[in-house]
Amino acid sequence: MPFRQLKLHPLEAGVSAVRIEYEAGQGRKSWQWGMAYVHHVQREGEGFAWVERAPAQGVTFRLARRWYNAKSEAPRGSYFSPLLFYRLATTSKTESNLDAEGHYVEEKKHIHYQVLGLQALFGHQARWGQHVTFDVYGGVGARLKYGWVPPQQTDPLYYPTTELLGKTLVSNEQNALLWTPSLQLGVALGYLF
């Protein structure tokens, strides 16, 4: 039997993004498409915190293929899912500096970045009644990040490499290419229709 469902990720909504996904399939296979509004990102921390959450604005697009291994047909049972995602976001920081006349002036600095990620997810989806599903998953993968600052705001204290998490591959004052391993844990609530 073919199936379709919409999913929300309630734990992620409070931490970093509001995400909705659509899953459609038949038998033991399905495709899952998702989109998210990003409201916070992780960046390099200051002081004793090596990671901190920073306000951001952006979008994420996700595409996954699922293979369920349950004896019963999907959308229930354990599954394996390769996942590809793309994120475009901007994060900002407000700094107070002295101008030429000795007055404090607040200046907002921006970093724009793109992320391309690939992950292998493993999870289990349970079905309650005719319409409700509960999905618990975890995964590992890697992310490639490209960050840049506008030319007029070059500042050695606010390079992409000082704000984005990851190992720097290539960088200069305005651009940086980084990579980082990624871990993902989450839950999703779905509605079958």
Side-chain angles (χ1 to χ4, degrees):
M1 289 286 297
F3 66 90
R4 298 181 312 271
Q5 69 175 319
L6 286 176
K7 293 182 177 180
L8 294 173
H9 297 258
L11 298 180
E12 188 175 352
V15 176
S16 63
V18 177
R19 180 163 38 123
I20 186 166
E21 291 180 324
Y22 173 76
E23 182 181 6
Q26 187 169 0
R28 293 190 178 120
K29 299 175 189 171
S30 71
W31 285 98
Q32 189 164 287
W33 301 270
M35 190 168 128
Y37 166 71
V38 177
H39 57 78
H40 278 85
V41 294
Q42 291 182 335
R43 68 178 180 197
E44 293 284 346
E46 297 176 2
F48 292 107
W50 67 277
V51 175
E52 69 179 18
R53 287 178 62 228
Q57 295 93 30
V59 293
T60 301
F61 300 98
R62 300 165 60 98
L63 174 64
R65 178 72 165 154
R66 283 191 173 188
W67 287 276
Y68 289 88
N69 67 0
K71 295 196 174 23
S72 59
E73 289 191 355
R76 74 173 111 199
S78 298
Y79 62 84
F80 166 71
S81 177
L83 165 72
L84 178 66
F85 70 92
Y86 171 77
R87 175 178 293 161
L88 177 61
T90 299
T91 184
S92 304
K93 181 189 270 187
T94 303
E95 292 182 348
S96 295
N97 296 316
L98 288 174
D99 64 8
E101 297 159 359
H103 299 97
Y104 278 100
V105 177
E106 286 195 348
E107 186 178 359
K108 197 165 219 176
K109 308 259 180 158
H110 304 283
I111 288 184
H112 309 284
Y113 69 96
Q114 299 176 58
V115 178
L116 184 63
L118 184 62
Q119 289 184 311
L121 296 179
F122 301 91
H124 187 84
Q125 185 163 267
R127 185 171 169 177
W128 294 327
Q130 294 294 317
H131 299 289
V132 178
T133 61
F134 181 74
D135 189 354
V136 178
Y137 58 88
V140 296
R143 297 178 182 194
L144 191 61
K145 300 177 180 181
Y146 173 68
W148 71 96
V149 295
Q152 68 274 16
Q153 91 173 23
T154 301
D155 179 344
L157 299 176
Y158 201 59
Y159 288 163
T161 54
T162 63
E163 293 297 315
L164 300 177
L165 287 176
K167 171 114 173 97
T168 304
L169 300 173
V170 178
S171 72
N172 60 30
E173 292 180 354
Q174 291 180 286
N175 303 287
L177 184 64
L178 305 95
W179 84 273
T180 182
S182 67
L183 296 174
Q184 185 173 10
L185 296 171
V187 298
L189 292 174
Y191 181 80
L192 286 162
F193 55 95

